[in-house]
Amino acid sequence: MRGIVRITLIVLAVSLGLAGCSIGERKTDTGIGNESGEGTVKNQTLNVLTNRVDLIENGTMDRYAAQFEREHPGTSVEFQGFSNYTADIMTRLSTLNMGDVLLLPANMLAEDLPQYFEPLSDDLFASVRFADYKSVNGVRYGIVSGTSTIGIAYNKKAMAKAGVTKLPTTLTSFYEACKKLKAAGITPIFLNYGAQWPMKTWGEELVSFMSGDPDYLNKMADTDKPWDIHNQWGQSMRIVQTLIHNGYTEQGLMNNQWELSKKKIADGEAAMLLNGNWVINQIIEAGAKPEDIGFFPFPYDDEAKRYAPLVPDWFIGVSKFSGNKELAKSWVKFFIEQSGYAKEQGYLPVKLDSSTDLSPQLKQFLSFKPSFVENVPPSDKFLRIAEKANLSLWSGEYIQDWIASPDLQKTFEQYNAKWQEARHVEQ
């Protein structure tokens, strides 16, 4: 692999400094230099932090970097990958060891963005989805790297082998499909419980869109008891508990099987996975034929109306503490407009007026005619209460605890008590 690829467990050299940037100089033979120093060029290392460890390992990020380096002679792009970005990046921010370019933490207060990130040019946001999602007082600090919806990615051959001839459109028929898959010796659905972060799909993400209310989470800031077994939170947790209780999920739940899950679905040993449409390309890259993978809205209840989300993926921005700010901004522009990342990774186009063709899987998803719920930014009030309640949002951590609870309502009451206390402190 080209360059130095640092993964989470590798500690940055002290020479990088707390600012997180690394700027080096080396002599390059330009053909016109001489011993007096003419021809010396300043080589800059751009340090990029990302959650896409897989794209570092398979060389995709190197390919993007090579293209950027050709357009910016004297530049070297290095990547640091984090397998649990939401949790790990907050530690980096606490020491200002943020590299040059990074993904904005999902649970950061909007009012804190100017302390850590550089403003981005308005020109970058022409006809871009979620343009103001990461803005403060009209100043934008992050641009979305991809847009997606959430549904069930599945292996068509596995379904056919189990005798599932019609895709489930209700929760009852979904359980029936799982039962047939289990009887056929196929793992019905991978939760990826042990990887932790995928559990947010069953938490903040699912409750937001199945309620049909984009402000569902923000409205939690207006109540002392947001969690109940009879509301969307309880509904989602009971679905997962039912899947586990009936043996419809992967074995070895405590193990991190994220990469394995994609291979299992590609091979037909497992059938389904609930996540963003971006996962489709990863399953195909794990060995599946594109025509064998499908995608349909998750039937979370037995009602006729079906909601699905339109959500931004990670936002990319420039560290306020970078020593290469202009170069870092050039990388952001390149990554969004030239790299091809969004299309290659199976996202919906970032640009509103994009003519990019939809994948067969997304066309299939749309054929179910779901009503889309467009995601809105979490309010600072909601985030502050969650922080005071020691709730690590979008990490999947507390979702794991809830799913494992033998008395879900009692567990909800415990969290409600912490939420109520935090809410009153905030007020």
Side-chain angles (χ1 to χ4, degrees), residues 79 129 155 164 175 183 246 251 296-297 330 374 392 422:
F79 300 99
R129 298 180 191 272
N155 186 303
V164 180
Y175 288 147
N246 290 333
Q251 295 182 347
F296 65 93
S330 295
E374 187 164 333
S392 182

Side-chain angles (χ1 to χ4, degrees), residues 72-340:
H72 298 79
T75 297
S76 176
V77 182
E78 297 180 358
F79 300 99
Q80 299 170 45
F82 299 85
S83 58
N84 193 349
Y85 191 91
T86 298
D88 296 336
I89 195 59
M90 298 309 290
T91 301
R92 288 303 189 95
L93 263 62
S94 69
T95 61
L96 307 185
N97 190 359
M98 301 164 54
D100 299 299
V101 179
L102 68 158
L103 306 177
L104 278 61
N107 50 4
M108 173 175 279
L109 299 178
E111 65 184 27
D112 290 340
L113 291 175
Q115 299 179 39
Y116 295 94
F117 294 92
E118 277 292 297
L120 298 178
S121 170
D122 287 340
D123 295 341
L124 193 61
F125 292 86
S127 300
V128 168
R129 298 180 191 272
F130 301 105
D132 296 318
Y133 204 96
K134 295 294 182 181
S135 66
V136 182
N137 297 324
V139 179
R140 296 162 173 150
Y141 295 91
I143 184 168
V144 69
S145 59
T147 304
S148 61
T149 188
I150 292 172
I152 295 287
Y154 72 99
N155 186 303
K156 296 178 182 179
K157 288 187 175 180
M159 293 288 227
K161 181 180 178 180
V164 180
T165 58
K166 184 179 179 181
L167 291 176
T169 56
T170 65
L171 184 58
T172 297
S173 60
F174 182 78
Y175 288 147
E176 291 172 352
C178 288
K179 184 177 181 178
K180 290 180 179 180
L181 287 159
K182 180 183 178 182
I186 299 168
T187 300
I189 185 167
F190 250 91
L191 297 177
N192 275 300
Y193 181 96
Q196 191 177 90
W197 67 264
M199 301 313 298
K200 68 185 176 67
T201 309
W202 298 92
E204 296 92 346
E205 294 180 349
L206 179 54
V207 300
S208 293
F209 73 79
M210 72 179 176
S211 68
D213 183 358
D215 267 318
Y216 184 91
L217 295 180
N218 288 334
K219 289 178 180 177
M220 288 172 57
D222 299 325
T223 178
D224 286 337
K225 297 181 179 181
W227 296 291
D228 189 278
I229 59 171
H230 299 296
N231 67 14
Q232 279 79 11
W233 285 102
Q235 180 181 349
S236 178
M237 295 303 101
R238 289 199 310 275
I239 291 173
V240 181
Q241 288 182 335
T242 298
L243 293 172
I244 294 174
H245 177 75
N246 290 333
Y248 296 156
T249 68
E250 71 269 22
Q251 295 182 347
L253 281 173
M254 298 305 296
N255 300 323
N256 186 340
Q257 303 182 67
W258 171 245
E259 295 302 327
L260 179 63
S261 70
K262 294 179 288 186
K263 179 64 175 173
K264 290 277 190 179
I265 294 172
D267 293 343
E269 295 180 41
M272 297 182 288
L273 177 68
L274 175 67
N275 220 307
N277 55 274
W278 49 266
V279 79
I280 295 168
N281 277 20
Q282 295 191 27
I283 294 172
I284 293 170
E285 289 169 2
K289 294 181 179 178
E291 62 268 24
D292 290 340
I293 302 302
F295 192 55
F296 65 93
F298 178 51
Y300 46 79
D301 60 24
D302 287 343
E303 301 298 324
K305 190 174 182 65
R306 184 67 59 233
Y307 290 109
L310 185 62
V311 298
D313 200 70
W314 290 94
F315 288 79
I316 185 171
V318 173
S319 168
K320 191 177 184 69
F321 308 98
S322 168
N324 297 310
K325 291 178 182 178
E326 293 308 311
L327 185 64
K329 290 177 182 179
S330 295
W331 169 267
V332 171
K333 181 178 177 64
F334 159 80
F335 191 74
I336 297 300
E337 298 181 355
Q338 295 178 247
S339 71

